[in-house]
Every structure is written in structure tokens, then in C-alpha cells.
Amino acid sequence: MLFIILVAFIVFIFGASIGSFISASIYRMRKKETIMGRSYCPKCGYKLAFFDLFPLFSFIFLRGKCRKCKEIIDWSNFIIEFVLGIIFVFSFFYRWIYAPDADAFSWVILRDWTMLGGLSFLFIYDLKYKLLPDKITLPLIVILFILNVFIGINILNILLAIGIGAGFFLLQYLISGGKWIGDGDIRLGAVLGAGLGFPQIISALLIAYIFGAVYGLILIVRKKAKMKSEVAFGTFLAVGGVIALFFGNKIISWYLGLMGY
């Protein structure tokens, strides 16, 4: 039991560290800065020392304020670190239980963490700026494709999923002349296809559209949006991708059972 707690703690800190890196990278990418430089306070420019960079703990110790200027640190950083830590722990133990052997576990967990980190970045970036940067989506397609090949997923299966994910949005983009969706959604569809394969890509798209429709209806009912209001749909695709990553097959089985198949 103690070993499991220790492993969970280490994985949690690793996930939280990825969350911290994502938060800093989003800010720097938006400012068109390099993501490899030292972290600094966006208010006063103070370059953070090593002991200021411990995910979650530094925020708590500093009481959510910059060590130098005492300005409040954005709470979203803390939330992102905490959520990524929890998700990484869940993915680790989920694959630990269901992976057939240690070698398969290693490749699958690497694929999962890569996809979770990438989708988290895209979720936050699209939520904040309504953009899905090519600097993230394009490398992510290639990396996830390679990892799934090493896992043993058939290349044709992955290509089919990429074609479905990207083609589904490409068709909408062409029909509407870019009014219904942005071209970034096409590449995010390809990301989901490369990471999930077929038929899990279908689950991801279904979940994304259900969540998006419910969210849109809530906004319309509360009179905070209209039928033609722009929605950051990449956020729903990211959520759909995460859910389908772990439960895609079960969702498809449930749906087929519901339909009598």
C-alpha cells in the first residue's frame, strides 16, 4: 500500500510539473517568446528561483503571490497543475490494471501522457484565445502516430482514424466556407485520429458534439449567446478525446447495445 501511495505521489508531481510547463508555454507562445527560457513573474519580470518552481507547493507557500512584487499569481496555474496531476495518476493506474504486460504498459502510458499533455494545452489555448496553434497540433499528429505504431496498432487503422477525424471537419469547412468551424479543428481532428485510432475517434467526435450542444443550449437559454455565436469547439474536442482515450470502446459497445446490435 505504501508503495502504491509513493508511486501515485511521484506520478502526481510529474503531472503537475507538466501542467506548470503548459501554463508557462501558453503564456510565452502567445507573447511569441521562447518556451525554454527561465520562468518569470509576468507582473514585475522577477526570474523565479529553483525553490519557486515546485508545482502546487510553491504557490501554497507563497500564498498565491509573487515573492518580489507581491502581486497575485493567476489561480488558473494552480488549477491546471492540480488537474494534470490527478489525470496523470488516473491514467497511470488505469493502464497499470488493464495493460497486458510491462512493455505494452510503457508504450501506452507514454502515448497517453503525450496526448493528455497536448490536449490540455490545446484546450486551454483555444478556451483563452479561440486558436489551435499549428506548432502543437502538427507535431502531435506525428508523435502520436509513431507511438501508436510502436504500441502495435495497425497503420491502416490509424490512417483511417486520421482521415475520419480530419475529413469530418474538412467537409464542414469547405461546405460553409470556413463559417462553421476554423481550420484548426481540422488538424485537431487529425490529432484525435492519430492518438485514438478507429473506432475510438467516432466516440470522441460524438462526445464533443454532445458536450458542445449542451453547453451552447445553456448559453442560449441564459441569453449569453446566440445561435450564430462563436464557440471554442476545440475545447470540446479535447474533452471528447480524453474521455474516448480511456472509455471509447465501452461507449461504442454501450451504444451498439442500445441500438440492438
Side-chain angles (χ1 to χ4, degrees):
M1 184 65 183
L2 183 61
F3 173 74
I4 293 176
I5 294 174
L6 178 61
V7 170
F9 177 76
I10 293 172
V11 173
F12 177 81
I13 293 300
F14 176 68
S17 300
I18 297 298
S20 178
F21 178 74
I22 288 172
S23 296
S25 298
I26 288 173
Y27 176 80
R28 293 182 185 184
M29 182 174 290
R30 188 62 178 174
K31 300 277 288 184
K32 297 183 179 179
E33 299 176 352
T34 175
I35 64 173
M36 301 309 295
R38 285 181 59 184
S39 296
Y40 61 89
C41 172
K43 305 291 179 58
C44 68
Y46 165 69
K47 291 186 178 181
L48 306 186
F50 175 75
F51 43 79
D52 294 322
L53 297 174
F54 287 99
L56 299 173
F57 297 106
S58 292
F59 185 93
I60 296 171
F61 179 76
L62 294 170
R63 297 181 180 179
K65 297 180 181 180
C66 171
R67 181 183 297 275
K68 185 176 181 180
C69 69
K70 306 302 180 183
E71 288 290 330
I72 295 175
I73 301 171
D74 191 344
W75 266 87
S76 65
N77 297 336
F78 181 88
I79 295 172
I80 292 168
E81 292 172 4
F82 180 77
V83 171
L84 260 293
I86 294 296
I87 292 176
F88 270 49
V89 170
F90 169 79
S91 67
F92 182 88
F93 286 102
Y94 185 88
R95 297 306 184 190
W96 193 356
I97 293 171
Y98 292 106
D101 53 57
D103 187 56
F105 169 79
S106 300
W107 284 111
V108 171
I109 198 65
L110 181 58
R111 187 274 314 276
D112 286 359
W113 284 350
T114 300
M115 191 165 180
L116 290 171
L119 291 181
S120 296
F121 184 103
L122 295 170
F123 174 93
I124 300 165
Y125 204 93
D126 196 35
L127 186 64
K128 284 187 172 184
Y129 310 118
K130 290 185 171 59
L131 289 171
L132 296 167
D134 291 346
K135 289 182 179 180
I136 301 300
T137 55
L138 295 180
L140 203 54
I141 293 169
V142 176
I143 294 170
L144 290 174
F145 181 91
I146 294 172
L147 288 174
N148 271 331
V149 169
F150 277 109
I151 288 170
I153 298 177
N154 186 278
I155 292 177
L156 293 178
N157 179 292
I158 305 171
L159 291 175
L160 173 62
I162 292 174
I164 292 173
F168 180 72
F169 294 107
L170 176 60
L171 183 62
Q172 295 181 64
Y173 184 85
L174 294 175
I175 292 174
S176 66
K179 294 180 180 179
W180 295 349
I181 62 168
D183 58 352
D185 292 321
I186 301 171
R187 289 180 284 278
L188 181 51
V191 169
L192 295 181
L196 297 171
F198 180 84
Q200 290 87 342
I201 181 63
I202 305 297
S203 296
L205 296 176
L206 180 63
I207 294 166
Y209 269 89
I210 291 174
F211 278 27
V214 171
Y215 177 76
L217 287 173
I218 292 173
L219 291 183
I220 291 171
V221 169
R222 297 181 64 185
K223 297 182 179 180
K224 292 189 176 182
K226 298 180 181 180
M227 289 296 292
K228 294 184 178 180
S229 297
E230 184 180 356
V231 176
F233 192 66
T235 58
F236 301 108
L237 284 174
V239 171
V242 171
I243 295 175
L245 181 64
F246 300 106
F247 307 112
N249 286 329
K250 294 180 180 179
I251 291 171
I252 292 171
S253 298
W254 169 81
Y255 180 76
L256 292 176
L258 197 65
M259 297 299 292
Y261 293 103

